[in-house]
């Protein structure tokens, strides 16, 4: 049997995408509370994400959404990582949200810092794993916003970031216009 390079490269990307989901799940979480959601988009789902990014580019008047949509199209797969914004109930012992306690944070529509920190740690694990496996990647806020608009992850996922993955002669995620 002969496996051509394109088939092998796609398989490598999918293997890394699955490993990223595992790495994100096992990444440390503040207070041991896991509020992470993850999934992998390929083919048609990836194209729908890119189309939504193009739509949002016009609606929000943010041209970089369309630029990033081209990065999504050029990728083999996109891993979505998201978190809910539930509070950890540390109350007066914390105050990192600049409120007196979690109840006041909720009343003021504040954001508990722990879920975004957990997401950042998971994203760091994701891109490190991709780099260790020589798979090109970048973290895209724009694709995360489009995924949120499309409700790809559970409704509770209020902050979503995307990690597109590619194996090509030159990374599509840099030298962007």
């Amino acid at each position: 049997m002969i496996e051509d390079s394109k088939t092998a490269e796609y398989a490598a990307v999918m293997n890394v995408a699955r490993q990223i989901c595992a790495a994100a799940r096992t990444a440390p979480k503040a207070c041991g509370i896991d509020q992470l959601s993850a999934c992998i988009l390929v083919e048609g789902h990836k194209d729908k994400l890119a189309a939504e990014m193009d739509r949002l580019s016009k609606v929000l008047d943010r041209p970089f959404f369309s630029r990033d949509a081209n990065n999504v199209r050029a990728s083999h797969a996109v891993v979505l990582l998201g978190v809910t914004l539930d509070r950890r109930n540390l109350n007066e012992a914390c105050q990192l949200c600049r409120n007196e306690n979690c109840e006041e944070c909720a009343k003021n529509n504040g954001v508990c810092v722990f879920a975004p920190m957990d997401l950042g740690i998971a994203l760091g694990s994701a891109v490190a794993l991709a780099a260790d496996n020589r798979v090109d990647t970048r973290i895209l806020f724009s694709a995360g916003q489009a995924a949120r608009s499309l409700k790809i992850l559970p409704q509770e996922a209020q902050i979503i970031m995307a990690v597109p993955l590619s194996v090509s002669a030159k990374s599509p995620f840099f030298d962007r216009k």
Side-chain angles (χ1 to χ4, degrees):
M1 176 178 117
I2 297 174
E3 183 173 81
D4 67 276
S5 176
K6 294 284 184 208
T7 302
E9 291 161 7
Y10 182 79
V13 167
M14 292 309 297
N15 185 45
V16 168
R18 291 179 184 109
Q19 289 179 37
I20 284 172
C21 289
R25 177 68 58 218
T26 61
K29 312 288 189 304
C31 303
I33 298 171
D34 186 359
Q35 297 173 319
L36 183 85
S37 299
C39 73
I40 302 167
L41 304 180
V42 295
E43 299 166 5
H45 294 285
K46 188 173 62 82
D47 296 335
K48 287 179 188 174
L49 181 69
E52 180 66 3
M53 293 168 73
D54 284 331
R55 186 188 77 77
L56 289 174
S57 179
K58 292 178 183 91
V59 170
L60 301 172
D61 191 27
R62 294 291 181 251
F64 74 90
F65 273 62
S66 283
R67 177 204 63 201
D68 292 354
N70 290 330
N71 288 158
V72 166
R73 288 183 188 96
S75 67
H76 291 81
V78 176
V79 177
L80 298 177
L81 298 174
V83 291
T84 63
L85 293 178
D86 293 340
R87 288 158 190 85
R88 305 294 164 97
N89 296 316
L90 295 174
N91 293 309
E92 289 79 7
C94 176
Q95 299 178 344
L96 292 175
C97 64
R98 301 297 182 242
N99 289 283
E100 288 298 315
N101 54 44
C102 296
E103 183 180 335
E104 185 180 299
C105 181
K107 186 176 89 179
N108 293 332
N109 202 25
V111 175
C112 177
V113 301
F114 291 109
M117 285 192 308
D118 290 350
L119 180 59
I121 293 166
L123 288 165
S125 292
V127 297
L129 197 147
D132 289 347
N133 284 276
R134 306 307 176 257
V135 172
D136 293 325
T137 190
R138 187 176 190 106
I139 297 171
L140 297 178
F141 152 82
S142 55
Q145 290 294 86
R148 197 167 140 230
S149 175
L150 293 170
K151 298 178 172 51
I152 295 173
L153 289 178
Q155 187 68 25
E156 302 82 44
Q158 295 155 306
I159 301 175
I160 302 172
M161 297 290 172
V163 181
L165 303 168
S166 174
V167 172
S168 58
K170 183 177 183 310
S171 173
F173 309 122
F174 292 92
D175 297 333
R176 305 175 317 150
K177 297 177 181 124

